[in-house]
Amino acid sequence: MARVRRERVSVGVRIRPVVSVARLSVVELFRRRDVYVALIFALVVGVPLLGANVFGVEGAVRYVRELVLLLVWVCSVAVSLTTAARQLPGEIQRRTILPLLARPVTRAEVVVGKWAGAAAASCAATLLLYGCYAALTALKSGGGGAGGWGVLAQSVALHLCAVLLICALAVLGSLVLTASANVTLSALLVAGMLLFGSRLYELAAATPGVGGVCARLLHWGLPHVELFDLRLRVVHGWEPLGAWVFVAILAYGLLY
């Protein structure tokens, strides 16, 4: 019993510094007002949802919805990358990393805490953007589409899982790269996977020799961010994903 109690106390001590470091990252994001810029930008572009089909053109509404959801993804990825990539380099530039490590906090706890804080702040910003989209859509058409709010809920959940993955990549890159190089390379990776990730397997199958082997390694090694993108289902009001498919994608993101 005494051993179990000591183990529980040690776990609590290890979790508490992570939460403290994460709280500082969340406060830093909202203090820098990056999320407010993204939210205002989304509102400026999303307001046309309220009057896009004045003349009964439903296709125009879907086009605007697709643009707004694309903007949500772009703003979310930008906030996630910039927030996560500047966590450790910012501490080093301000020379606060040594006092932080001088406390009873291990390096692993600092890294995990920085990731958790960046992920929590980025998820909060993403939820604000989706709240803006959902409010405008509800005012316009009450949810619109056969899938309705179910597919939108799945889209938000998978998007948040993608945010966790993107923040993890950015924090990992910040250990070996400068903030600007990290943001650039991470943004290219995320954009490349969103655009061409689904075609890597076909490219590997069609390419013989060493090129095909490299394509297969990229297919199995890189994070398939495109799996978390359900924008088309939301825009066209398709049915939600099957339960096992949804759980499998979530498990893939969390495992990665």
Side-chain angles (χ1 to χ4, degrees):
M1 291 297 295
R3 181 180 301 177
V4 173
R5 289 180 180 177
R6 285 196 297 269
E7 289 177 355
R8 288 180 178 176
V9 171
S10 64
V11 171
V13 170
R14 288 196 297 268
I15 293 177
R16 193 176 298 113
V18 171
V19 175
S20 300
V21 174
R23 187 184 299 114
L24 293 176
S25 301
V26 175
V27 172
E28 180 186 359
L29 172 68
F30 287 95
R31 184 179 299 167
R32 293 176 66 95
R33 297 181 176 87
D34 294 351
V35 63
Y36 303 124
V37 176
L39 183 60
I40 292 173
F41 191 33
L43 282 172
V44 169
V45 178
V47 165
L49 272 174
L50 295 177
N53 65 341
V54 175
F55 302 103
V57 184
E58 178 62 23
V61 178
R62 292 183 178 180
Y63 182 69
V64 175
R65 286 175 184 165
E66 185 174 1
L67 287 179
V68 174
L69 285 175
L70 176 61
L71 178 64
V72 169
W73 266 89
V74 171
C75 292
S76 174
V77 171
V79 171
S80 302
L81 288 179
T82 55
T83 302
R86 69 185 176 213
Q87 293 298 317
L88 293 175
E91 294 284 353
I92 296 174
Q93 291 176 359
R94 294 189 299 267
R95 299 182 179 180
T96 55
I97 189 68
L98 294 180
L100 182 61
L101 291 175
R103 301 176 182 179
V105 180
T106 65
R107 295 184 180 184
E109 289 170 350
V110 171
V111 173
V112 174
K114 290 296 184 181
W115 167 80
S122 302
C123 287
T126 302
L127 288 175
L128 284 176
L129 293 171
Y130 270 107
C132 168
Y133 170 82
L136 292 174
T137 303
L139 289 174
K140 183 60 186 176
S141 57
W149 297 107
V151 67
L152 180 60
Q154 286 188 346
S155 177
V156 174
L158 292 182
H159 193 162
L160 294 179
C161 189
V163 167
L164 299 181
L165 192 153
I166 292 170
C167 288
L169 289 175
V171 171
L172 176 63
S174 67
L175 297 177
V176 293
L177 298 171
T178 62
S180 57
N182 186 18
V183 170
T184 302
L185 293 178
S186 299
L188 289 175
L189 174 61
V190 173
M193 293 305 295
L194 284 173
L195 294 174
F196 308 110
S198 60
R199 303 178 184 177
L200 281 177
Y201 186 79
E202 298 177 359
L203 179 62
T207 305
V210 179
V213 174
C214 293
R216 287 185 176 87
L217 291 177
L218 292 176
H219 171 73
W220 293 109
L222 294 179
H224 285 270
V225 187
E226 77 278 2
L227 294 177
F228 306 93
D229 186 6
L230 298 184
R231 283 179 295 142
L232 288 179
R233 286 183 173 270
V234 175
V235 169
H236 298 289
W238 295 346
E239 293 295 331
L241 294 174
W244 70 272
V245 177
F246 177 71
V247 173
I249 297 176
L250 281 178
Y252 168 78
L254 296 176
L255 179 63
Y256 203 99

